[in-house]
Amino acid sequence: MLFFLVSCFSFMLLKPMGTLSNVWFCEEVVKFLALWFRKGRNAMMKSDVKSKLEKVVEKEEDICLLDLPDLTLECIFERLTPDGLCSMAAVCSSLREKCGSDHLWEKHMKQKWGGLIGSAAYKEWQCYIASRNKASLLMNSRKKRDFRGKFSTIRQLLLNRSKGNEDDRRVGDASAMSSVMDWFLSLESGKFWFPAQVFNREVQNGHVGFMLSCYDAEVSYDCSTNTFSARYPSYPSHGRRIIEEDIEWNRLRAPTVDTPPYVLHVSDCLHDLKPDDHFEIQWRKSKEFPYGWWYGVVGHLETCNGSESSCHCHDSETVLLEFKQYTSGSRWRQTVINRKDHREVGNEEDGFYGGIRKLYSDKEISLWKSLWPSSTLE
């Protein structure tokens, strides 16, 4: 092929270029040569690139994940799901330390549990890990006082020293046991029961009398059904704790105040209440029962015609509270409290009304309205 090209090129140089046909012939040959050389050059470039890539691949086969820069690793870990972080943490001790960082798990904690975990749940978690650490310390101490006597104890101490005293470090390292990752996984597994409040308790069991109420409980998550179980405080008439299962997310909230369920909430909004304001009020059946929070709306007094221009209900010493989920003739429909010195009021027949919270948030009001019963209660 090369000999043929050289011969043709020599012939063109020696032959006179006088005619048009000769000019056309030279142009076509030049085009052919240019195309041939271009194809040959591209083939050489492709071959060169391929060989370089093969060398890079051979070189990258020896690169470990841990050889990547810390910033690159952080970007990778931040995009992993909780399951992905757990899988990565199981690879080696170095990755376990990196994947267990609090700042990685705080995002997942906020996304899934931020709306349900409040200060009460955090305090309960601190008590939970403290008791767990104490139990581990007692167990570790009991093992050292086993029936084999002092020779076994000496042997165990020597063994711990040879291992770098790993067991003692694991028990004493409270920060590792109280990490955000540990908290998240304890919630996911259902091992940790935490305080929350349940709307419309036992509604699936036919207890319509609890509609538009919210009661304190200890709840636990079931990841297989994505629902919760709730343990309510024991009632004198039952003699045992009531447990409700299959509670969905929209029926739960974090406690809105730090007031325990048996304690009267101190109302700080009585002078601000006026008609059409939304509120929650504590109510309990008897003195032996815990309070629940019940939703209602401030109404107009009987002496008021309901007109906004002439309404003076907010100047009165009394406040009319309405619970519109009940029919007009129901004894549960309305109650009146004193604005100046309101404490717990009521009796054993109608129950006892306690502290009041005024609802300022549209989100809270919308949540109550979304739980409105399909029919009016008697």
Side-chain angles (χ1 to χ4, degrees):
M1 183 65 181
L2 180 63
F3 176 76
F4 171 76
L5 291 173
V6 171
S7 301
C8 292
F9 189 67
S10 302
F11 172 77
M12 288 186 294
L13 293 175
L14 296 174
K15 188 173 179 61
M17 300 294 179
T19 64
L20 293 174
S21 61
N22 289 338
V23 172
W24 173 86
F25 177 77
C26 290
E27 289 180 353
E28 292 300 319
V29 171
V30 169
K31 289 180 181 178
F32 170 77
L33 290 175
L35 180 62
W36 184 82
F37 280 115
R38 189 180 299 116
K39 289 183 177 180
R41 183 181 179 185
N42 290 341
M44 291 178 62
M45 290 178 63
K46 290 181 180 178
S47 176
D48 185 46
V49 170
K50 183 178 179 181
S51 62
K52 288 182 179 180
L53 287 174
E54 290 176 350
K55 291 180 181 180
V56 170
V57 171
E58 291 177 358
K59 189 175 182 179
E60 287 184 349
E61 287 180 353
D62 299 330
I63 295 178
C64 175
L65 180 64
L66 294 176
D67 294 333
L68 295 175
D70 290 340
L71 183 59
T72 305
L73 286 175
E74 287 293 323
C75 292
I76 294 173
F77 296 153
E78 286 176 356
R79 286 163 174 76
L80 293 179
T81 63
D83 289 341
L85 284 173
C86 290
S87 300
M88 188 71 74
V91 175
C92 63
S93 58
S94 180
L95 287 178
R96 181 165 60 250
E97 181 179 355
K98 294 179 181 297
C99 292
S101 299
D102 283 352
H103 75 277
L104 292 175
W105 286 91
E106 284 170 356
K107 178 186 69 173
H108 297 296
M109 193 74 180
K110 184 178 180 180
Q111 286 178 348
K112 184 163 186 177
W113 298 100
L116 189 55
I117 297 297
S119 58
Y122 180 75
K123 292 177 183 177
E124 188 67 25
W125 171 249
Q126 295 300 316
C127 295
Y128 176 79
I129 60 174
S131 62
R132 189 174 61 178
N133 290 347
K134 183 178 180 181
S136 299
L137 288 169
L138 290 174
M139 184 179 296
N140 188 61
S141 178
R142 193 177 297 114
K143 288 180 179 179
K144 292 181 179 180
R145 297 194 305 268
D146 61 5
F147 68 94
R148 288 176 292 182
K150 62 180 180 179
F151 295 106
S152 174
T153 303
I154 294 173
R155 179 177 177 276
Q156 186 65 36
L157 289 173
L158 292 174
L159 181 61
N160 285 344
R161 182 174 297 177
S162 65
K163 292 182 178 180
N165 206 17
E166 293 177 359
D167 292 337
D168 290 341
R169 283 207 314 270
R170 184 163 54 250
V171 173
D173 189 4
S175 61
M177 301 185 73
S178 62
S179 65
V180 180
M181 175 183 178
D182 186 23
W183 192 6
F184 184 94
L185 296 179
S186 295
L187 288 168
E188 287 285 314
S189 65
K191 295 179 180 178
F192 175 55
W193 290 74
F194 59 95
Q197 292 181 333
V198 184
F199 292 97
N200 296 353
R201 56 169 291 182
E202 303 176 77
V203 65
Q204 62 258 41
N205 298 330
H207 294 275
V208 294
F210 287 107
M211 294 296 290
L212 291 190
S213 68
C214 191
Y215 276 79
D216 288 89
E218 290 181 344
V219 300
S220 173
Y221 180 63
D222 184 354
C223 61
S224 61
T225 60
N226 195 29
T227 59
F228 295 83
S229 297
R231 299 188 301 209
Y232 299 104
S234 58
Y235 293 164
S237 58
H238 293 83
R240 59 182 177 83
R241 272 193 164 187
I242 299 175
I243 298 178
E244 183 181 1
E245 298 179 343
D246 300 326
I247 300 172
E248 297 182 353
W249 284 81
N250 65 331
R251 289 181 52 209
L252 292 177
R253 75 174 182 185
T256 54
V257 294
D258 293 332
T259 308
Y262 285 94
V263 178
L264 179 70
H265 175 67
V266 178
S267 307
D268 58 358
C269 62
L270 296 177
H271 294 285
D272 297 332
L273 293 177
K274 60 184 183 300
D276 298 328
D277 281 345
H278 302 260
F279 66 87
E280 297 175 6
I281 187 170
Q282 288 177 311
W283 182 88
R284 59 181 174 179
K285 184 177 181 181
S286 70
K287 297 283 188 177
E288 297 178 344
F289 282 76
Y291 286 111
W293 290 94
W294 294 74
Y295 169 73
V297 179
V298 178
H300 291 274
L301 297 171
E302 292 183 0
T303 57
C304 180
N305 59 11
S307 174
E308 293 184 5
S309 59
S310 59
C311 177
H312 298 284
C313 293
H314 58 282
D315 297 325
S316 174
E317 292 184 2
T318 57
V319 182
L320 177 67
L321 307 179
E322 283 195 299
F323 306 92
K324 296 182 179 180
Q325 65 269 33
Y326 295 97
T327 58
S328 299
S330 173
R331 61 173 177 164
W332 310 110
R333 172 76 179 203
Q334 296 179 345
T335 190
V336 178
I337 64 169
N338 189 290
R339 191 189 298 270
K340 288 187 175 181
D341 57 354
H342 170 66
R343 299 287 294 174
E344 185 182 57
V345 294
N347 52 59
E348 292 292 338
E349 183 179 358
D350 297 330
F352 296 87
Y353 296 88
I356 299 177
R357 284 185 65 238
K358 181 178 177 179
L359 301 181
Y360 298 93
S361 169
D362 292 336
K363 183 178 180 180
E364 281 190 291
I365 297 172
S366 298
L367 178 56
W368 279 111
K369 289 182 176 181
S370 69
L371 300 168
W372 199 269
S374 57
S375 59
T376 307
L377 306 177
E378 296 292 335

